[in-house]
Amino acid sequence: MGERGKDDAMKHRKTNLEPVAEKPESQDPMARPATTSPHKEARLGREVQARIGQQLRAMYNDVVNQGVPQHLADLVRRLSDQDQD
Amino acid sequence: MKLDPAIRDQVLATVPSLRAFAISLCGNIDRADDLVQETLLRALAHIDSFEPGTNMPAWLFTILRNLFRSEYRKRRREVEDAEGRYAETLKSHPEQTGRVEFEEFRTALAKLPADQREALILVGASGFSYDDAAAICGCAVGTIKSRVNRARTRLADLLAIDSVDDFGPDRATRAVLAGGGRN
């Protein structure tokens, strides 16, 4: 649900996400610095940063939400009950 | 003497995020779980060097990262096929993100230099402070800030660009793109 709408929005994300529209197509790709300069970074849209943060956490939390696998829980409990060195 | 249950519980509570971090390093859930297991073995064998009251997650993340750096990086070539395996581990992802967008994000993340990706994950996903992230990575706070900034900028660039040719001549990048089935 709402998936199609999101996909449609995706197709236009270049404009949506980068309202400051910086050149990507027109410029010689080799002229693009490997890492971007501070002033370019300052121009990063808040939207883009927010989106990146959201996706990063979604990806990460997907794993976190799997909890502790049984074999790892068993391992910790077993080692905890052993006499320490 | 047995381990203080409070300490044990702190270790257990950190396991889920340790796994998420390990997967972001290894790119593969089986190897990530091996890495987490080694980390737990190492940590519990040296639990005396943990100071109660200090940051347990930061302590465990540091051990995991050091293990990864010393052992797992030797097998770096395997990481190149991480893409497909990683996708398998993430079949169900949160609904707020469209699948296509999610895959694009993951592909873009895989293209970041390891140092930048690691810093971004620690600060942007694990929620560590810049100070803690710097301690975990054994570098200066300014270095972490710079890596995080460059990672964000690069990701923003990658996510805004669709043409393969814009990504530069890097071989691994092409492999990832080819394996990712885009275009």
Side-chain angles (χ1 to χ4, degrees), chain B residues 140-183:
Chain B
V141 175
T143 306
I144 288 291
K145 286 183 178 171
S146 143
R147 284 175 186 169
V148 170
N149 284 339
R150 278 183 290 156
R152 285 185 171 139
T153 306
R154 178 88 174 120
L155 272 183
D157 278 352
L158 288 171
L159 292 170
I161 295 169
D162 286 336
S163 165
V164 175
D165 291 334
D166 283 339
F167 290 135
D170 178 81
R171 218 180 77 244
T173 297
R174 295 218 166 144
V176 168
L177 281 174
R182 296 177 64 220
N183 295 342

Side-chain angles (χ1 to χ4, degrees), chain A residues 3 6 10 13-14 18 32 36 40-41 44 48-49 51 55 57 59-60 62 66 80-81 84, chain B residues 1-3 8 17 19 47 90 92 97 101 104-105 109 126 152-153 156-157 159-160 162:
Chain A
E3 199 66 20
K6 273 177 202 154
M10 287 273 312
R13 72 192 185 293
K14 201 173 285 178
E18 212 159 331
R32 296 169 60 79
T36 341
K40 161 82 195 284
E41 181 244 318
L44 267 190
V48 180
Q49 293 222 32
R51 177 85 57 114
Q55 294 199 324
R57 287 187 296 274
M59 190 188 73
Y60 193 85
D62 202 37
Q66 293 171 11
S80 303
D81 287 342
Q84 307 288 304
Chain B
M1 176 180 97
K2 290 176 200 269
L3 182 64
R8 181 201 63 199
S17 53
R19 289 182 76 231
I47 198 72
L90 297 171
S92 65
T97 327
E101 191 181 6
E104 284 188 352
F105 179 79
L109 191 66
S126 308
R152 285 185 171 139
T153 306
D157 278 352
L159 292 170
D162 286 336

Side-chain angles (χ1 to χ4, degrees), chain B residues 23-42:
Chain B
I23 289 173
S24 75
L25 294 179
C26 301
N28 162 328
I29 202 161
D30 294 329
R31 287 191 41 215
D33 277 346
D34 287 348
L35 180 59
V36 170
Q37 180 165 327
E38 283 181 53
T39 301
L40 294 171
L41 286 166
R42 179 77 57 105

